[in-house]
Amino acid sequence: MTETTPVKEARLWSDNGWTARVIKNNDDDGWAVEMLKDGEPEPALVGPWTMGRDKKNPKPLDTAAFNTLVKTASEVIRRHEQQLHATLHKEVVVNVSGETWRVTLDIVADEYEPHALLAAHDSAGEEVAQVRVKADFKLNAARATAWVEDDFKKPG
């Protein structure tokens, strides 16, 4: 990985893996700023940008604005990753015959063979069983309990 030289221009700043670019806002006569993380094809954040004193041109980027934009864009990415994880990972805890089981469902969003992995973990956190199920398998406490009670046989 090569280090790039920081760019600090009025409408383009690039540093620490991020690029801020002030662009014409297509929706009105104003300006917008896009934040692009190095290596990503799409901006992580696009938002309105302040007009300069002449009310025609955009306010120039500066260190404080760039740092704020990096922080905001990083938060957007973090929230997106959390949402994606929550969508692809489900977990329930059930008690069966006096034992506590943590049952997880991890969806594998494969383009050709989407599926999910259903797993059971004992009270020590050890994985005891894992089976492949359909990607649309609905995990809830009743289904997890039934699976544990059925000695972890692949659900139908």
Side-chain angles (χ1 to χ4, degrees):
M1 186 168 142
T2 59
E3 275 297 312
T4 57
T5 304
V7 175
K8 296 182 179 181
E9 299 172 3
R11 294 188 190 178
L12 178 69
W13 275 53
S14 185
D15 200 5
N16 294 324
W18 286 96
T19 299
R21 182 177 296 126
V22 177
I23 56 175
K24 192 77 177 124
N25 188 343
N26 294 330
D27 296 335
D28 61 30
D29 292 335
W31 295 89
V33 63
E34 65 178 11
M35 288 299 294
L36 190 66
K37 188 168 176 68
D38 287 357
E40 294 295 322
E42 296 291 325
L45 175 72
V46 178
W49 189 244
T50 308
M51 292 286 226
R53 292 178 191 228
D54 65 3
K55 302 297 181 205
K56 274 198 317 195
N57 293 305
K59 178 180 166 189
L61 288 163
D62 60 26
T63 301
F66 181 75
N67 290 340
T68 299
L69 289 165
V70 167
K71 183 177 177 183
T72 303
S74 296
E75 181 66 18
V76 167
I77 288 174
R78 189 180 68 75
R79 285 188 194 152
H80 175 74
E81 288 169 348
Q82 287 176 334
Q83 180 195 11
L84 183 60
H85 177 76
T87 302
L88 299 177
H89 178 82
K90 304 290 183 202
E91 181 175 312
V92 297
V93 176
V94 295
N95 287 301
V96 177
S97 302
E99 288 192 52
T100 301
W101 295 93
R102 184 172 56 90
V103 179
T104 60
L105 180 72
D106 288 295
I107 297 171
V108 180
D110 185 278
E111 185 177 350
Y112 301 105
E113 283 190 62
H115 61 281
L117 299 173
L118 182 64
H121 305 265
D122 63 18
S123 58
E126 295 294 319
E127 184 175 282
V128 175
Q130 183 184 79
V131 295
R132 184 174 167 150
V133 295
K134 292 182 180 180
D136 63 355
F137 184 87
K138 301 291 184 222
L139 179 62
N140 57 36
R143 291 190 89 178
T145 300
W147 182 54
V148 173
E149 287 173 343
D150 199 27
D151 293 325
F152 312 107
K153 292 185 183 123
K154 185 174 179 175

mmCIF file of all heavy atoms in Angstrom, residues 110-138:
data_model
loop_
_atom_site.group_PDB
_atom_site.id
_atom_site.type_symbol
_atom_site.label_atom_id
_atom_site.label_comp_id
_atom_site.label_asym_id
_atom_site.label_seq_id
_atom_site.Cartn_x
_atom_site.Cartn_y
_atom_site.Cartn_z
ATOM 1 N N ASP A 110 -24.612 -15.161 -0.836
ATOM 2 C CA ASP A 110 -23.923 -15.583 -2.053
ATOM 3 C C ASP A 110 -24.824 -15.325 -3.253
ATOM 4 O O ASP A 110 -26.019 -15.625 -3.217
ATOM 5 C CB ASP A 110 -23.565 -17.070 -1.945
ATOM 6 C CG ASP A 110 -22.750 -17.554 -3.112
ATOM 7 O OD1 ASP A 110 -23.359 -17.864 -4.159
ATOM 8 O OD2 ASP A 110 -21.513 -17.632 -2.979
ATOM 9 N N GLU A 111 -24.269 -14.787 -4.317
ATOM 10 C CA GLU A 111 -25.062 -14.453 -5.502
ATOM 11 C C GLU A 111 -25.705 -15.689 -6.129
ATOM 12 O O GLU A 111 -26.823 -15.626 -6.627
ATOM 13 C CB GLU A 111 -24.167 -13.752 -6.531
ATOM 14 C CG GLU A 111 -24.897 -13.259 -7.752
ATOM 15 C CD GLU A 111 -23.992 -12.512 -8.717
ATOM 16 O OE1 GLU A 111 -22.828 -12.212 -8.364
ATOM 17 O OE2 GLU A 111 -24.448 -12.246 -9.831
ATOM 18 N N TYR A 112 -25.012 -16.805 -6.116
ATOM 19 C CA TYR A 112 -25.501 -18.012 -6.784
ATOM 20 C C TYR A 112 -26.143 -19.014 -5.832
ATOM 21 O O TYR A 112 -27.073 -19.719 -6.211
ATOM 22 C CB TYR A 112 -24.353 -18.681 -7.562
ATOM 23 C CG TYR A 112 -23.769 -17.758 -8.597
ATOM 24 C CD1 TYR A 112 -22.547 -17.147 -8.394
ATOM 25 C CD2 TYR A 112 -24.468 -17.456 -9.760
ATOM 26 C CE1 TYR A 112 -22.020 -16.271 -9.336
ATOM 27 C CE2 TYR A 112 -23.949 -16.588 -10.705
ATOM 28 C CZ TYR A 112 -22.725 -16.003 -10.491
ATOM 29 O OH TYR A 112 -22.213 -15.126 -11.421
ATOM 30 N N GLU A 113 -25.634 -19.116 -4.618
ATOM 31 C CA GLU A 113 -26.166 -20.069 -3.652
ATOM 32 C C GLU A 113 -26.376 -19.409 -2.291
ATOM 33 O O GLU A 113 -25.670 -19.717 -1.333
ATOM 34 C CB GLU A 113 -25.210 -21.248 -3.482
ATOM 35 C CG GLU A 113 -25.245 -22.263 -4.592
ATOM 36 C CD GLU A 113 -24.441 -23.498 -4.209
ATOM 37 O OE1 GLU A 113 -24.812 -24.157 -3.228
ATOM 38 O OE2 GLU A 113 -23.441 -23.776 -4.878
ATOM 39 N N PRO A 114 -27.342 -18.499 -2.175
ATOM 40 C CA PRO A 114 -27.570 -17.905 -0.855
ATOM 41 C C PRO A 114 -28.041 -18.972 0.125
ATOM 42 O O PRO A 114 -28.822 -19.856 -0.240
ATOM 43 C CB PRO A 114 -28.651 -16.854 -1.116
ATOM 44 C CG PRO A 114 -29.288 -17.245 -2.394
ATOM 45 C CD PRO A 114 -28.275 -18.022 -3.179
ATOM 46 N N HIS A 115 -27.518 -18.920 1.327
ATOM 47 C CA HIS A 115 -27.899 -19.884 2.361
ATOM 48 C C HIS A 115 -27.593 -19.259 3.717
ATOM 49 O O HIS A 115 -27.145 -18.116 3.795
ATOM 50 C CB HIS A 115 -27.152 -21.217 2.177
ATOM 51 C CG HIS A 115 -25.664 -21.091 2.283
ATOM 52 N ND1 HIS A 115 -24.872 -20.629 1.257
ATOM 53 C CD2 HIS A 115 -24.830 -21.349 3.311
ATOM 54 C CE1 HIS A 115 -23.606 -20.621 1.641
ATOM 55 N NE2 HIS A 115 -23.546 -21.040 2.884
ATOM 56 N N ALA A 116 -27.854 -20.001 4.750
ATOM 57 C CA ALA A 116 -27.556 -19.535 6.103
ATOM 58 C C ALA A 116 -26.964 -20.679 6.898
ATOM 59 O O ALA A 116 -27.169 -21.857 6.567
ATOM 60 C CB ALA A 116 -28.821 -19.010 6.773
ATOM 61 N N LEU A 117 -26.229 -20.331 7.923
ATOM 62 C CA LEU A 117 -25.657 -21.319 8.829
ATOM 63 C C LEU A 117 -26.305 -21.153 10.191
ATOM 64 O O LEU A 117 -26.227 -20.086 10.810
ATOM 65 C CB LEU A 117 -24.140 -21.136 8.930
ATOM 66 C CG LEU A 117 -23.376 -21.313 7.619
ATOM 67 C CD1 LEU A 117 -21.909 -20.948 7.802
ATOM 68 C CD2 LEU A 117 -23.520 -22.737 7.102
ATOM 69 N N LEU A 118 -26.967 -22.202 10.619
ATOM 70 C CA LEU A 118 -27.621 -22.249 11.920
ATOM 71 C C LEU A 118 -26.667 -22.958 12.870
ATOM 72 O O LEU A 118 -26.198 -24.058 12.566
ATOM 73 C CB LEU A 118 -28.938 -23.025 11.789
ATOM 74 C CG LEU A 118 -29.810 -23.154 13.022
ATOM 75 C CD1 LEU A 118 -30.321 -21.785 13.471
ATOM 76 C CD2 LEU A 118 -30.983 -24.096 12.735
ATOM 77 N N ALA A 119 -26.341 -22.325 13.981
ATOM 78 C CA ALA A 119 -25.368 -22.908 14.907
ATOM 79 C C ALA A 119 -25.875 -22.815 16.342
ATOM 80 O O ALA A 119 -26.607 -21.890 16.694
ATOM 81 C CB ALA A 119 -24.020 -22.195 14.786
ATOM 82 N N ALA A 120 -25.445 -23.781 17.147
ATOM 83 C CA ALA A 120 -25.787 -23.804 18.567
ATOM 84 C C ALA A 120 -24.500 -23.750 19.380
ATOM 85 O O ALA A 120 -23.537 -24.456 19.078
ATOM 86 C CB ALA A 120 -26.570 -25.063 18.902
ATOM 87 N N HIS A 121 -24.526 -22.907 20.406
ATOM 88 C CA HIS A 121 -23.373 -22.745 21.292
ATOM 89 C C HIS A 121 -23.829 -23.044 22.713
ATOM 90 O O HIS A 121 -24.872 -22.552 23.149
ATOM 91 C CB HIS A 121 -22.839 -21.314 21.215
ATOM 92 C CG HIS A 121 -22.519 -20.888 19.813
ATOM 93 N ND1 HIS A 121 -21.263 -20.973 19.275
ATOM 94 C CD2 HIS A 121 -23.317 -20.402 18.828
ATOM 95 C CE1 HIS A 121 -21.292 -20.536 18.034
ATOM 96 N NE2 HIS A 121 -22.524 -20.193 17.730
ATOM 97 N N ASP A 122 -23.033 -23.842 23.428
ATOM 98 C CA ASP A 122 -23.398 -24.182 24.802
ATOM 99 C C ASP A 122 -23.080 -23.017 25.736
ATOM 100 O O ASP A 122 -22.600 -21.964 25.310
ATOM 101 C CB ASP A 122 -22.721 -25.484 25.247
ATOM 102 C CG ASP A 122 -21.198 -25.405 25.285
ATOM 103 O OD1 ASP A 122 -20.642 -24.283 25.296
ATOM 104 O OD2 ASP A 122 -20.562 -26.475 25.304
ATOM 105 N N SER A 123 -23.320 -23.208 27.028
ATOM 106 C CA SER A 123 -23.146 -22.126 28.004
ATOM 107 C C SER A 123 -21.690 -21.690 28.131
ATOM 108 O O SER A 123 -21.417 -20.580 28.585
ATOM 109 C CB SER A 123 -23.703 -22.540 29.363
ATOM 110 O OG SER A 123 -23.057 -23.712 29.805
ATOM 111 N N ALA A 124 -20.755 -22.530 27.697
ATOM 112 C CA ALA A 124 -19.336 -22.162 27.725
ATOM 113 C C ALA A 124 -18.928 -21.414 26.453
ATOM 114 O O ALA A 124 -17.780 -21.010 26.307
ATOM 115 C CB ALA A 124 -18.474 -23.409 27.892
ATOM 116 N N GLY A 125 -19.863 -21.277 25.509
ATOM 117 C CA GLY A 125 -19.568 -20.572 24.261
ATOM 118 C C GLY A 125 -19.054 -21.463 23.159
ATOM 119 O O GLY A 125 -18.745 -20.985 22.067
ATOM 120 N N GLU A 126 -18.950 -22.755 23.438
ATOM 121 C CA GLU A 126 -18.452 -23.702 22.432
ATOM 122 C C GLU A 126 -19.536 -24.017 21.408
ATOM 123 O O GLU A 126 -20.687 -24.265 21.779
ATOM 124 C CB GLU A 126 -18.002 -25.006 23.095
ATOM 125 C CG GLU A 126 -16.823 -24.855 24.014
ATOM 126 C CD GLU A 126 -15.535 -24.467 23.288
ATOM 127 O OE1 GLU A 126 -15.282 -25.004 22.199
ATOM 128 O OE2 GLU A 126 -14.810 -23.609 23.816
ATOM 129 N N GLU A 127 -19.160 -24.023 20.128
ATOM 130 C CA GLU A 127 -20.120 -24.411 19.099
ATOM 131 C C GLU A 127 -20.306 -25.927 19.158
ATOM 132 O O GLU A 127 -19.339 -26.679 19.058
ATOM 133 C CB GLU A 127 -19.639 -23.992 17.710
ATOM 134 C CG GLU A 127 -20.664 -24.283 16.629
ATOM 135 C CD GLU A 127 -20.247 -23.756 15.267
ATOM 136 O OE1 GLU A 127 -20.380 -22.548 15.030
ATOM 137 O OE2 GLU A 127 -19.785 -24.577 14.461
ATOM 138 N N VAL A 128 -21.546 -26.345 19.325
ATOM 139 C CA VAL A 128 -21.870 -27.762 19.474
ATOM 140 C C VAL A 128 -22.406 -28.335 18.167
ATOM 141 O O VAL A 128 -22.184 -29.499 17.859
ATOM 142 C CB VAL A 128 -22.899 -27.947 20.620
ATOM 143 C CG1 VAL A 128 -23.354 -29.393 20.723
ATOM 144 C CG2 VAL A 128 -22.305 -27.474 21.934
ATOM 145 N N ALA A 129 -23.092 -27.512 17.408
ATOM 146 C CA ALA A 129 -23.684 -27.992 16.161
ATOM 147 C C ALA A 129 -23.788 -26.846 15.171
ATOM 148 O O ALA A 129 -23.901 -25.683 15.557
ATOM 149 C CB ALA A 129 -25.068 -28.570 16.426
ATOM 150 N N GLN A 130 -23.743 -27.223 13.884
ATOM 151 C CA GLN A 130 -23.965 -26.243 12.821
ATOM 152 C C GLN A 130 -24.562 -26.971 11.627
ATOM 153 O O GLN A 130 -24.088 -28.046 11.256
ATOM 154 C CB GLN A 130 -22.658 -25.574 12.404
ATOM 155 C CG GLN A 130 -22.868 -24.488 11.343
ATOM 156 C CD GLN A 130 -21.574 -23.888 10.868
ATOM 157 O OE1 GLN A 130 -20.894 -24.488 10.045
ATOM 158 N NE2 GLN A 130 -21.221 -22.716 11.385
ATOM 159 N N VAL A 131 -25.611 -26.396 11.064
ATOM 160 C CA VAL A 131 -26.221 -26.959 9.863
ATOM 161 C C VAL A 131 -26.489 -25.832 8.871
ATOM 162 O O VAL A 131 -26.673 -24.677 9.250
ATOM 163 C CB VAL A 131 -27.547 -27.718 10.152
ATOM 164 C CG1 VAL A 131 -27.298 -28.947 11.012
ATOM 165 C CG2 VAL A 131 -28.579 -26.813 10.786
ATOM 166 N N ARG A 132 -26.504 -26.207 7.609
ATOM 167 C CA ARG A 132 -26.813 -25.255 6.544
ATOM 168 C C ARG A 132 -28.322 -25.269 6.312
ATOM 169 O O ARG A 132 -28.924 -26.335 6.202
ATOM 170 C CB ARG A 132 -26.066 -25.672 5.281
ATOM 171 C CG ARG A 132 -26.221 -24.727 4.131
ATOM 172 C CD ARG A 132 -25.325 -25.171 2.987
ATOM 173 N NE ARG A 132 -25.662 -24.486 1.773
ATOM 174 C CZ ARG A 132 -24.805 -24.198 0.824
ATOM 175 N NH1 ARG A 132 -23.539 -24.562 0.957
ATOM 176 N NH2 ARG A 132 -25.186 -23.573 -0.263
ATOM 177 N N VAL A 133 -28.917 -24.085 6.261
ATOM 178 C CA VAL A 133 -30.356 -23.957 6.038
ATOM 179 C C VAL A 133 -30.588 -22.937 4.923
ATOM 180 O O VAL A 133 -29.660 -22.258 4.483
ATOM 181 C CB VAL A 133 -31.100 -23.540 7.331
ATOM 182 C CG1 VAL A 133 -31.009 -24.625 8.397
ATOM 183 C CG2 VAL A 133 -30.580 -22.220 7.871
ATOM 184 N N LYS A 134 -31.838 -22.814 4.510
ATOM 185 C CA LYS A 134 -32.179 -21.831 3.482
ATOM 186 C C LYS A 134 -31.940 -20.419 4.006
ATOM 187 O O LYS A 134 -32.089 -20.157 5.205
ATOM 188 C CB LYS A 134 -33.632 -21.985 3.051
ATOM 189 C CG LYS A 134 -33.902 -23.267 2.290
ATOM 190 C CD LYS A 134 -35.348 -23.332 1.863
ATOM 191 C CE LYS A 134 -35.609 -24.620 1.092
ATOM 192 N NZ LYS A 134 -37.011 -24.706 0.668
ATOM 193 N N ALA A 135 -31.595 -19.510 3.106
ATOM 194 C CA ALA A 135 -31.301 -18.128 3.485
ATOM 195 C C ALA A 135 -32.507 -17.429 4.112
ATOM 196 O O ALA A 135 -32.352 -16.503 4.897
ATOM 197 C CB ALA A 135 -30.808 -17.344 2.274
ATOM 198 N N ASP A 136 -33.710 -17.902 3.785
ATOM 199 C CA ASP A 136 -34.911 -17.265 4.344
ATOM 200 C C ASP A 136 -35.398 -17.931 5.637
ATOM 201 O O ASP A 136 -36.499 -17.654 6.096
ATOM 202 C CB ASP A 136 -36.037 -17.216 3.303
ATOM 203 C CG ASP A 136 -36.508 -18.607 2.875
ATOM 204 O OD1 ASP A 136 -35.912 -19.622 3.302
ATOM 205 O OD2 ASP A 136 -37.478 -18.675 2.093
ATOM 206 N N PHE A 137 -34.566 -18.783 6.235
ATOM 207 C CA PHE A 137 -34.915 -19.434 7.497
ATOM 208 C C PHE A 137 -35.191 -18.360 8.541
ATOM 209 O O PHE A 137 -34.424 -17.414 8.709
ATOM 210 C CB PHE A 137 -33.760 -20.328 7.963
ATOM 211 C CG PHE A 137 -34.063 -21.115 9.207
ATOM 212 C CD1 PHE A 137 -34.673 -22.355 9.136
ATOM 213 C CD2 PHE A 137 -33.736 -20.607 10.461
ATOM 214 C CE1 PHE A 137 -34.950 -23.082 10.287
ATOM 215 C CE2 PHE A 137 -34.005 -21.329 11.615
ATOM 216 C CZ PHE A 137 -34.617 -22.571 11.522
ATOM 217 N N LYS A 138 -36.319 -18.479 9.224
ATOM 218 C CA LYS A 138 -36.704 -17.503 10.246
ATOM 219 C C LYS A 138 -36.332 -18.056 11.620
ATOM 220 O O LYS A 138 -36.910 -19.040 12.072
ATOM 221 C CB LYS A 138 -38.208 -17.218 10.195
ATOM 222 C CG LYS A 138 -38.685 -16.685 8.864
ATOM 223 C CD LYS A 138 -38.179 -15.283 8.617
ATOM 224 C CE LYS A 138 -38.746 -14.736 7.327
ATOM 225 N NZ LYS A 138 -37.784 -14.023 6.536
#
